Structures are given as structure tokens and as C-alpha cells.
């Protein structure tokens, strides 16, 4: 089973591509901060970490958007690096011992769910490019 490849069209200019990738990276950062802030949401008395699902979908869409401006996997992963940077900032305690991320199963769920779909997609893209290079 092969996944359909996304046709990468060259952007109007390299400046446009760099600017768009920078904005997508910042969007990944914002996704991390907002998903951490809304992670402790409850429905009644039950924890409901819907932000893990939202972060997974948003990160995948950000990576797909980045792929439209580059054909390489590393620049396409910039939104994920922005997400990791934002998550890392949220993990660090603030002044006075304030903590945004708790040692909880929801934090692990958010981390894995936010990175796994986009990471698997990038792995598939990289693998397909290596196979194409080896065959041709």
C-alpha cells in the first residue's frame, strides 16, 4: 500500500518560502502553548484531554502545509521543532515555582499524540525519497 504523494510546487520566491516556514514554526509554538494551557480540562469530574487530539491534527496540518513550500523533510519538520520548543518552555517552572505541566498521564498523551502522526508522515516522506533515490 503506497500513500499518495503530495505534489510540491515551487513557491513564488525563496523569501516567501522562508517567511511561510517561519510562520508555520511560530504556529507550532502557539499550538504547544495553547494545548498545554487547556490540557487540564474536565467534563464534570472526568479529565478530558481533548487538546491531545487537537494538537495531533494541527501539527499534521502544519507539516503538510510546510511540505508545500519545501521538498525536504527537515525544513518540513520546523513546525514540530516549534512545538517542541513551546512544550519545553511550558515544562520549565516559572517564577515562584509555578508549573504548567504536571506529571500526569495527560502530559504523556499530549506529547506522544502531538508528535506521532506528523513524525510518521515525515518518516514516510523521507523513506519514499530514499527509495526513489536508490531506484533512480
Amino acid at each position: 500500500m503506497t500513500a499518495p504523494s503530495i505534489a510540491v510546487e515551487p513557491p513564488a520566491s525563496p523569501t516567501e518560502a522562508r517567511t511561510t516556514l517561519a510562520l508555520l514554526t511560530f504556529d507550532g509554538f502557539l499550538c504547544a502553548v495553547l494545548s498545554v494551557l487547556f490540557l487540564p480540562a474536565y467534563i464534570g469530574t472526568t479529565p478530558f484531554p481533548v487538546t491531545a487530539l487537537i494538537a495531533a491534527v494541527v501539527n499534521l496540518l502544519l507539516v503538510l502545509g510546510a511540505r508545500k513550500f519545501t521538498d525536504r523533510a527537515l525544513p518540513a519538520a520546523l513546525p514540530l521543532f516549534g512545538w517542541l520548543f513551546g512544550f519545553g518552555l511550558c515544562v520549565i517552572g516559572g517564577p515562584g515555582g509555578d508549573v504548567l505541566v504536571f506529571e500526569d498521564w495527560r502530559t504523556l498523551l499530549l506529547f506522544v499524540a502531538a508528535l506521532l502522526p506528523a513524525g510518521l508522515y515525515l518518516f514516510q516522506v523521507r523513506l519514499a525519497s530514499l527509495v526513489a533515490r536508490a531506484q533512480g
Side-chain angles (χ1 to χ4, degrees):
M1 179 171 111
T2 61
S5 65
I6 295 176
V8 178
E9 298 177 13
S13 68
T15 304
E16 178 184 331
R18 284 192 297 269
T19 304
T20 304
L21 288 173
L23 288 173
L24 289 171
T25 303
F26 182 69
D27 288 341
F29 172 80
L30 285 178
C31 176
V33 171
L34 291 174
S35 61
V36 166
L37 288 176
F38 288 102
L39 186 62
Y42 279 80
I43 293 182
T45 59
T46 306
F48 191 69
V50 70
T51 58
L53 176 63
I54 293 171
V57 171
V58 168
N59 279 344
L60 182 59
L61 291 175
L62 289 174
V63 168
L64 288 172
R67 280 278 297 148
K68 291 190 180 278
F69 289 92
T70 182
D71 57 347
R72 297 184 359 234
L74 188 61
L78 285 175
L80 292 182
F81 295 141
W83 192 93
L84 283 170
F85 181 72
F87 188 79
L89 284 180
C90 291
V91 169
I92 297 171
D98 294 339
V99 179
L100 290 176
V101 178
F102 299 103
E103 295 177 12
D104 194 2
W105 62 271
R106 293 174 288 180
T107 303
L108 180 63
L109 177 68
L110 174 66
F111 187 78
V112 171
L115 296 178
L116 190 64
L120 287 175
Y121 171 74
L122 287 172
F123 177 74
Q124 176 205 4
V125 166
R126 181 68 179 142
L127 188 63
S129 70
L130 289 175
V131 168
R133 190 180 316 151
Q135 290 176 350

